[in-house]
Every structure is written in C-alpha cells, then in structure tokens.
Amino acid sequence: MSLKIGYFGSPSHSKDLLEDLVESGFQISFVVTNIDKPVGRKQILTETPVKEFAKRKGIPVFQSERLRTDTTIQDEILNQEADIHLVYAYGSIIPDRIFLAPKHRSINLHGSLLPKYRGASPVQSAILNGEKSSGFSIQYLATEVDSGDLIFSKEIEIQKEDTTESFLHKITLEGGLVLKNLLLGLGNTGTLPMASPQDHSKATHCKKIRSENRPIDWSKTRDQIHNQIRALYPDPLATTEFRGKRVVILSSFLPTEEESKVGLGSSPMGSFFLVGKKRLFSVCGDGNLLGIESLVPEGKKPMKGFEFFNGARVNTGDTFT
C-alpha cells in the first residue's frame, strides 16, 4: 500500500521531520503551513521552513491565516488525496472536518508526555519549570487541543545543558523514527496500533511563550534563570539590560565546583565579573553564580561573555538589570 500523506507543520524542526519523510521515500501529497510573516528588524516577509522545503521539492502548499474558519482553504485541502494527515508543530487549530477526513484520520507528534503540557509550548515549559525529563507523544487529533487518544509515548531525559532547540532535535529524531515505523506498518497492514484514551483528570496546559517572558529577573535563583535562558533558546531569547540598553542572553552554564567557591562578598544580584579571564559569571538572587556563555548587546553582533565584559569597561557596582 502506497500511503498518501498530508503534512501539517511550520518551524524548522517540523521541516526536519518532513525532509526525513521525503528522503525515506514516503509520499507527501501536500503541505499545510502557517502564513508568511515579517521577520527581523527590517520585517522581511519570510516563508516558514516547511513551506520553503516543500516548494523546493514541488509539493503543493496551502496556507491560511485562520484555517479553523477558512472554508475556502478547507475545501481545497479536502480536494487533495490523503490516506492520513501527519501533524508536527503546525501552530494553528485544525478543524474537525479536516482532521477526520482521511481514511486513517490525523495523527500528531507532540513534544510532551501527554496529558502533561498540552498546548503551544510543551518543551519550553518543561525546561522552564525545571523538569528532569519530558518526551513525546503520538496521538490522534481531537476537537480539544492535544486531548486525542495516545498511540505511542516515550520519556526522554532533559540534560542540564539542553535547550529547547536541542531537546526538539531529540524529539524530531526519535519521534520521527517511531512515526516512520508506524507509517510503514500502516502501509503493510492497513491499520495503526490500538490507541488508549488519555487520563484527562491529569491534564496540564501551557501557553505560548510571549515577549513578557523574556526579561530575566535576577532576584530569582540560579537554576530558575538558567532554565529560562535554555527554554527561550533559540526563540524568543531571554533578555536583560545593562546601562539602559538591552542585552540578549543566548546561552548560560553552571559553574564548576571550584568556581562555585569564589567569594562574592556583598555583591548585589545581577552584578558580574570574570573568573580566569575568560569565564563570565553573574550573581543570582539565591547568591549562586551563573555563567554567561554568549550574548548579544543591543546593536552589536553575538559575542562571548568575557568579550562583552572586556569591551564594556565594567565599573564597580555595575549590574545587569
């Protein structure tokens, strides 16, 4: 059986899965992705990574600002041949008449162990909340977001250095392997494994990460701030201020045992200094140090933390705010 697949996705990790499916020989009949959006300081209208890849491969692309109510695009999608829809980080609600249309319905790769972290930011929220592990789930789509029956789930440990980007990469690789095996089985037998209902009483929900989640509060603990920086990488990125100008914090690290013993005296939270000439540390609200690996000062290019320190000519009493 040669499966015809309709693919719903938008960001780069969704593109990576789509590319893997195409290279593995699966037949993608069409792609549905978010609309082109202005990006960067110059607000250049930019296609989603999924659209860009699909166009290069000659795969038909459908876009809608609000698919849930856009019956014109819905009708166009329903006119396409598809035995199953596959969804990975599409970013918009898919209406019932679309996800129920294929013979084998629609399945979704979701970045958490459902029913925990239903919603728009499962990986970011897990890292932000200091979870030691999370994972992925493969489920049928349902009317209520992320509430469909579970086909498969797998737990993955969250390493201390993991960011949203690195953890999504793990989900894409491991989840993609499971999805390909499921699709191969479906092609051979005409069925998917039996799915199990979620325990809705244990459901938790996470919201989309917004601009107000970006500023660092240096009165928080080291782990809370480290988690925030990791969770917000690569988008939308954590921020702080120095001398009234914004500084984007790209990456942070935990000090070694020896570095943790550095005497801070009465250093205020947000103050920062070098250890060993090339290791920049900032003081957090719990009195612990957090290493600042790389950052972007306003109007400048990305640089290492120690390069920022040396260039800023830091005075006694200067702090991140």
Side-chain angles (χ1 to χ4, degrees):
M1 176 183 177
S2 180
L3 284 174
K4 295 181 176 66
I5 301 169
Y7 190 87
F8 293 66
S10 297
S12 58
H13 55 280
S14 184
K15 184 273 295 182
D16 291 341
L17 176 58
L18 175 61
E19 186 173 2
D20 187 20
L21 291 170
V22 170
E23 290 180 351
S24 299
F26 289 95
Q27 183 178 346
I28 308 299
S29 297
F30 63 90
V31 155
V32 182
T33 189
N34 275 342
I35 60 171
D36 302 354
K37 294 181 180 179
V39 173
R41 287 189 298 176
K42 295 184 179 180
Q43 293 291 280
I44 298 172
L45 198 62
T46 304
E47 299 173 344
T48 69
V50 164
K51 178 182 177 180
E52 185 180 12
F53 175 78
K55 284 175 62 180
R56 282 194 279 115
K57 293 297 180 178
I59 302 171
V61 176
F62 297 94
Q63 296 174 280
S64 174
E65 190 166 4
R66 192 173 177 82
L67 181 61
R68 182 168 50 178
T69 57
D70 190 341
T71 55
T72 299
I73 293 295
Q74 289 179 26
D75 290 341
E76 291 182 20
I77 293 170
L78 292 174
N79 285 332
Q80 307 299 307
E81 288 189 74
D83 298 301
I84 189 169
H85 290 159
L86 177 57
V87 183
Y88 184 35
Y90 168 49
S92 297
I93 293 175
I94 301 172
D96 295 29
R97 71 186 293 244
I98 297 295
F99 70 70
L100 292 174
K103 177 182 178 181
H104 300 290
R105 297 171 54 191
S106 302
I107 60 174
N108 174 46
L109 173 58
H110 181 77
S112 78
L113 295 174
L114 292 170
K116 194 170 187 179
Y117 292 122
R118 293 178 181 176
S121 60
V123 174
Q124 291 165 310
S125 296
I127 295 176
L128 195 61
N129 292 338
E131 300 281 5
K132 303 302 182 185
S133 67
S134 187
F136 66 89
S137 303
I138 298 173
Q139 54 152 171
Y140 283 107
L141 261 66
T143 302
E144 185 180 345
V145 174
D146 299 327
S147 67
D149 292 351
L150 295 173
I151 301 170
F152 183 91
S153 62
K154 181 178 180 179
E155 185 174 11
I156 302 174
E157 183 179 356
I158 300 176
Q159 302 291 336
K160 290 182 179 180
E161 66 275 10
D162 266 326
T163 63
T164 289
E165 181 180 64
S166 66
F167 200 74
L168 279 172
H169 181 65
K170 295 176 184 179
I171 289 173
T172 303
L173 286 178
E174 298 194 36
L177 181 61
V178 174
L179 276 171
K180 288 189 291 184
N181 287 333
L182 288 173
L183 292 170
L184 287 172
L186 177 60
N188 292 330
T189 67
T191 60
L192 287 166
M194 185 175 296
S196 303
Q198 295 185 41
D199 184 346
H200 302 297
S201 67
K202 295 182 178 179
T204 64
H205 300 266
C206 53
K207 297 180 180 180
K208 184 177 180 180
I209 301 296
R210 301 190 181 278
S211 58
E212 55 263 32
N213 302 116
R214 299 181 66 190
I216 294 171
D217 178 357
W218 292 100
S219 70
K220 292 186 175 181
T221 68
R222 177 190 66 192
D223 287 347
Q224 287 175 320
I225 296 171
H226 184 50
N227 292 343
Q228 179 185 0
I229 294 167
R230 295 186 302 132
L232 270 58
Y233 185 86
D235 183 66
L237 299 172
T239 63
T240 187
E241 288 193 0
F242 179 66
R243 295 174 181 165
K245 292 187 177 182
R246 190 175 73 171
V247 177
V248 174
I249 307 295
L250 297 177
S251 58
S252 56
F253 62 92
L254 299 178
T256 64
E257 185 175 349
E258 195 65 31
E259 289 168 337
S260 297
K261 297 176 182 177
V262 173
L264 301 178
S266 58
S267 300
M269 57 191 178
S271 59
F272 52 93
F273 52 88
L274 290 184
V275 174
K277 295 185 178 180
K278 289 194 174 183
R279 304 268 281 183
L280 179 67
F281 290 94
S282 187
V283 181
C284 303
D286 58 355
N288 286 315
L289 296 177
L290 178 65
I292 307 300
E293 177 66 29
S294 57
L295 45 72
V296 186
E298 187 174 319
K300 298 184 179 180
K301 295 181 179 180
M303 61 182 67
K304 295 292 185 180
F306 75 90
E307 293 173 327
F308 167 78
F309 183 92
N310 292 333
R313 300 180 182 276
V314 178
N315 300 315
T316 303
D318 281 345
T319 65
F320 289 130
T321 58

